[in-house]
Structures are given as C-alpha cells and as structure tokens.
Amino acid sequence: MGDVGATPGQLKELVDYCIEFARTMLKKKGDFHPFGTELKGSGQQTALGGWDGNEHPDPRDIYSILHDGVAGRARSGETIAAALAANVNVPPAYEAPYRDAIRIQLEARGNSRFIYFP
C-alpha cells in the first residue's frame, strides 16, 4: 500500500479505532455492518463505511465495497494503511475459545493479517 510506510503506532491506532467502534456498536445494537479506517499519506486517519443502496445489505457485499475502495486508493498512493472490521464466526481450525469475534483485516506495505478479538 502506497510508497510511504505506516509506523507500528499508526497501525495500532487503526486497529484500536476498529475495536472501539465495533464494541460500541455491539453494545448498542448487538451487531454491526463492516466498516473500517484508513491512513492517508498525509498521516490523516479517515473512517470508512460502505453502502450498496439496499436497506438491509449483505455484510459480505459491504465488505467487498470497502475492500475494493481501499485497494484502489492504495494503488494510487493515497492510502498507506487500512483496517477493515467485520462481525464474524472464528473458523473452527483456529480452535478459539469463543466462536463470535470482531475480525480486523490490517493492510499496509509489508504487513497483511487478520486479527480476531472475542
């Protein structure tokens, strides 16, 4: 993503934003649609939401919209890092003590991972 790398502290801020917003939504509504945050080359962090025109969208469609948008801005160098959050069930292969989780996809140059939080 981009030509300039994000610092570990900036990546942590992206993850922290996602965790806090997801937990807030879970407490208020019991669920949330995928959302995210990205870090611009200027160092500005921006919240991300997606909409496909449907009142009750498929969360996978919203996630794809967010992912595609971030990927395009990363290719142009506008975005240097991003985190996308989704409410998921942890795959059985991970043998997690809790099946329900917040999953954050963290992407930056030299860094790509899925992080699960119960």
Side-chain angles (χ1 to χ4, degrees):
M1 295 196 129
D3 294 332
V4 179
T7 67
Q10 290 171 316
L11 295 177
K12 183 180 182 315
E13 287 176 13
L14 296 177
V15 171
D16 289 347
Y17 171 85
C18 287
I19 293 168
E20 291 307 314
F21 188 71
R23 286 184 175 158
T24 297
M25 293 307 297
L26 288 169
K27 284 179 187 172
K28 285 184 177 182
K29 303 287 185 183
D31 198 6
F32 63 88
H33 285 294
F35 67 91
T37 184
E38 65 187 349
L39 182 64
K40 303 291 187 177
S42 65
Q44 178 185 6
Q45 185 176 335
T46 304
L48 301 171
W51 189 60
D52 68 356
N54 293 306
E55 185 175 342
H56 301 287
D58 184 323
R60 294 171 294 197
D61 293 340
I62 300 302
Y63 195 89
S64 291
I65 290 167
L66 292 168
H67 186 274
D68 292 349
V70 166
R73 289 185 296 279
R75 281 190 295 276
S76 72
E78 180 182 348
T79 296
I80 62 170
L84 300 179
N87 190 4
V88 300
N89 290 321
V90 178
Y94 292 132
E95 300 177 6
Y98 302 99
R99 291 280 321 215
D100 195 32
I102 300 165
R103 184 189 73 202
I104 299 173
Q105 181 180 2
L106 181 64
E107 295 282 342
R109 189 176 68 189
N111 188 336
S112 177
R113 58 190 28 95
F114 285 106
I115 307 165
Y116 293 86
F117 295 91

